[in-house]
Amino acid sequence: MTLAQFQAKNGDKMFSRLDTNKDGKISPDEFASLRKQNPEADAKAEKAGKRGPRMFARFDADKDGALSRTEANAVMAMRFKRMDANNDGVLTLEELSARGGGAKVGV
């Protein structure tokens, strides 16, 4: 799976799930709701000092207070890079199924 395929498959799903009001951008509240949907992740975030707002700020490249589709694609690219263990620009079935790569980025 290439980066473009990964972004198309996973980015659309992630963006649709997070953009609850369907305005074409993800607000800090919508971003935080992802954590609240998963009690285990929420507990870890609380323990880590609420790093969600810091992650959101890092992902919000243009600092407009919302994540655009372009910024969401950049997040997916970061995740792809972490999952691509051999850095060949393609995710194999082995890399896709490895849990370690998928969990390193909080989105």
Side-chain angles (χ1 to χ4, degrees):
M1 179 179 288
T2 66
L3 174 58
Q5 292 167 325
F6 183 78
Q7 286 173 322
K9 180 179 181 198
N10 298 297
D12 289 343
K13 189 185 324 179
M14 179 193 75
F15 203 85
S16 284
R17 191 177 69 219
L18 290 177
D19 183 17
T20 56
N21 66 1
K22 305 304 178 206
D23 66 353
K25 54 190 172 189
I26 299 169
S27 71
D29 289 339
E30 289 171 322
F31 186 79
S33 74
L34 175 69
R35 211 183 66 213
K36 292 175 185 167
Q37 293 171 13
N38 182 341
E40 182 180 320
D42 192 41
K44 288 179 182 177
E46 291 294 323
K47 195 174 185 179
K50 299 187 183 201
R51 63 178 192 228
R54 286 195 317 257
M55 286 176 57
F56 184 88
R58 188 176 81 217
F59 298 153
D60 183 15
D62 63 7
K63 306 301 179 206
D64 68 348
L67 298 182
S68 66
R69 181 57 200 209
T70 301
E71 290 165 327
N73 278 343
V75 172
M76 296 308 297
M78 288 173 22
R79 186 171 185 162
F80 180 93
K81 185 175 180 179
R82 287 181 179 219
M83 292 173 71
D84 185 12
N86 63 359
N87 296 315
D88 67 351
V90 176
L91 294 180
T92 63
L93 287 175
E94 183 179 274
E95 290 167 329
L96 284 167
S97 62
R99 296 292 298 167
K104 291 181 187 173
V105 174
V107 176

